Amino acid sequence: MDRRRRDLVDRDLEEAAADLLAHDPRLRGLDARVRFDGGVAHVEGDAPAAADLAVLRERLGRLAGVLAVWDRVRVAGAAPRVVDLGCGGTKQHRDNVGIDLRPGPVVDVLADLAYGVPLADESVDQIFVVHVLEHLADYLPLLRECHRVLRPGGVLHVLAPWWRHVNAVADPTHVRLIDVQTFKHLCRPDDAGRCWYPLLVARDESTVFADLVPAKDGREPACERRLARFFD
């Protein structure tokens, strides 16, 4: 999609999001602003409770053309704690905690993620794993660590090059190919009963996006109807 058309689609999605916030009675308790960039919803504002934010994420994710929902919404006045794993030289927001193997201007914590994520159980609200999984021969241990450190209702945001785009194979450090279907098996319980609930899994012509919630603290795994929204 060329830049002009993408901008037009983003403006249309912003209008649709504004209509939701204005007219959906389930969202009336929120003070939220939604901006779109390349199909990704960037949400800021305040919500009285985590359940209200969850409804907003779900409603935005149902708009045609939305690829991901990234929010920095204060819940009951508290700002979210957000982590960028393998951040390299870029964090998704300046207030995120950047974790990487090598030092850099945006790295806050030095850690080798092969030995785990140096955070306490259920201590963060969101984790970004942006262009990381394709570099790992076995990314399942890292995702298990993300499941451990996310609070109930927290969100894991994944970006990776789509396997059929040249970006997937142009970098010789890429050792895994990623597709939307890659995430289907993560949404079914593993041997330890861990799994992810898909908020939104999508792709454009170059990138796969996944917003996943750990299925724990009473959240049931996704039903077949939910899985059918995203997976073959």
Side-chain angles (χ1 to χ4, degrees):
M1 185 184 300
D2 63 54
R3 181 70 192 186
R4 180 179 178 278
R5 183 183 173 206
R6 189 175 71 177
D7 288 345
L8 291 171
V9 171
D10 284 340
R11 302 297 79 76
D12 188 67
L13 286 170
E14 287 172 359
E15 183 176 324
D19 283 345
L20 272 179
L21 288 165
H23 301 296
D24 191 324
R26 293 166 292 185
L27 303 177
R28 286 179 183 163
L30 283 82
D31 176 18
R33 298 163 299 283
V34 185
R35 173 181 61 86
F36 278 90
D37 183 5
V40 177
H42 296 266
V43 188
E44 295 183 343
D46 292 89
D52 299 296
L53 176 56
V55 172
L56 177 59
R57 289 169 174 160
E58 176 68 25
R59 301 317 299 172
L60 289 173
R62 287 180 176 271
L63 295 176
V66 177
L67 297 172
V69 179
W70 298 356
D71 59 79
R72 291 196 68 84
V73 173
R74 293 177 294 274
V75 175
R81 188 183 187 201
V82 186
V83 173
D84 262 291
L85 293 183
C87 62
T90 304
K91 291 196 291 190
Q92 303 310 306
H93 191 276
R94 63 182 181 277
D95 294 334
N96 291 3
V97 177
I99 301 179
D100 203 275
L101 178 63
R102 298 178 179 83
V106 302
V107 176
D108 303 296
V109 177
L110 291 175
D112 186 344
L113 297 176
Y115 296 96
V117 177
L119 297 169
D121 293 357
E122 299 186 355
S123 61
V124 301
D125 298 293
Q126 297 177 48
I127 298 174
F128 282 90
V129 179
V130 177
H131 294 296
V132 172
L133 298 189
E134 64 270 21
H135 295 275
L136 304 177
D138 183 4
Y139 53 74
L140 293 180
L142 178 60
L143 295 183
R144 288 194 290 268
E145 280 289 274
C146 292
H147 195 285
R148 176 182 66 81
V149 304
L150 276 169
R151 293 172 178 145
V155 183
L156 171 65
H157 302 288
V158 179
L159 270 75
W162 183 42
W163 73 279
R164 295 191 66 178
H165 193 269
V166 66
N167 290 347
V169 295
D171 186 339
T173 69
H174 291 177
V175 296
R176 295 296 297 265
L177 297 175
I178 308 293
D179 184 62
V180 167
Q181 302 304 318
T182 301
F183 296 94
K184 184 176 182 178
H185 80 282
L186 299 174
C187 298
R188 299 188 186 278
D190 63 13
D191 291 342
R194 287 179 297 254
C195 71
W196 295 91
Y197 184 91
L199 286 184
L200 186 58
V201 186
R203 68 164 180 85
D204 61 15
E205 63 272 13
S206 65
T207 305
V208 176
F209 300 80
D211 292 342
L212 308 170
V213 175
K216 58 184 176 182
D217 195 32
R219 179 185 281 272
E220 293 293 327
C223 65
E224 292 301 316
R225 187 176 71 178
R226 182 76 182 194
L227 295 176
R229 282 186 58 194
F230 309 115
F231 309 116
D232 294 340

